[in-house]
Amino acid sequence: MPRSPRLALAALAASLLLSGCIASTAASIVTAPVRIAGKGVDMMTTSQSEADEKRGRNMRKQEERLGKLQRSYDRHNRDCMDGDREACEQARLDYAEIQNLRSNWP
């Protein structure tokens, strides 16, 4: 019989120590649906600042592409002036793409 009081005392001590963990776990379980729903709504909506960042990123990419095309056009145009027919065709293609990008410019 001396074991029973020790076992009961150990169980009581363990329950007191674990009560914080149990309460924390219970709170996490209760608030989980709210957190999940909040994340879902946040993922489906785009804030104005996020939209502005995306627009700025796209504009920088377009400007970069336009700069590369302009350099390519200049190079091909110079070669065309020197008599390279393939360069003339490539210069025309570069120019057409430049015009296409500019027509879609915001």
Side-chain angles (χ1 to χ4, degrees):
M1 288 271 177
R3 280 194 120 146
S4 292
R6 284 187 198 171
L7 186 58
L9 185 60
L12 178 63
S15 68
L16 289 175
L17 291 173
L18 294 176
S19 65
C21 293
I22 293 170
S24 174
T25 303
S28 296
I29 291 171
V30 169
T31 60
V34 175
R35 284 184 284 129
I36 292 170
K39 284 184 182 181
V41 168
D42 188 40
M43 290 175 69
M44 294 182 70
T45 59
T46 303
S47 69
Q48 186 62 44
S49 65
E50 289 171 330
D52 291 344
E53 288 172 9
K54 184 176 180 181
R55 181 173 166 81
R57 197 170 28 254
N58 287 338
M59 287 178 68
R60 282 190 300 277
K61 284 182 182 180
Q62 275 189 317
E63 287 173 354
E64 182 180 322
R65 177 70 181 139
L66 190 59
K68 285 180 181 180
L69 280 171
Q70 186 64 48
R71 289 187 297 275
S72 177
Y73 170 75
D74 292 340
R75 184 179 63 251
H76 288 125
N77 198 31
R78 277 192 310 273
D79 292 344
C80 178
M81 296 294 188
D82 290 338
D84 185 354
R85 287 184 180 263
E86 288 180 29
C88 293
E89 180 60 30
Q90 190 59 47
R92 279 192 286 276
L93 293 174
D94 290 342
Y95 185 78
E97 192 169 349
I98 288 170
Q99 293 306 312
N100 186 31
L101 275 177
R102 286 186 178 160
S103 70
N104 295 329
W105 197 258

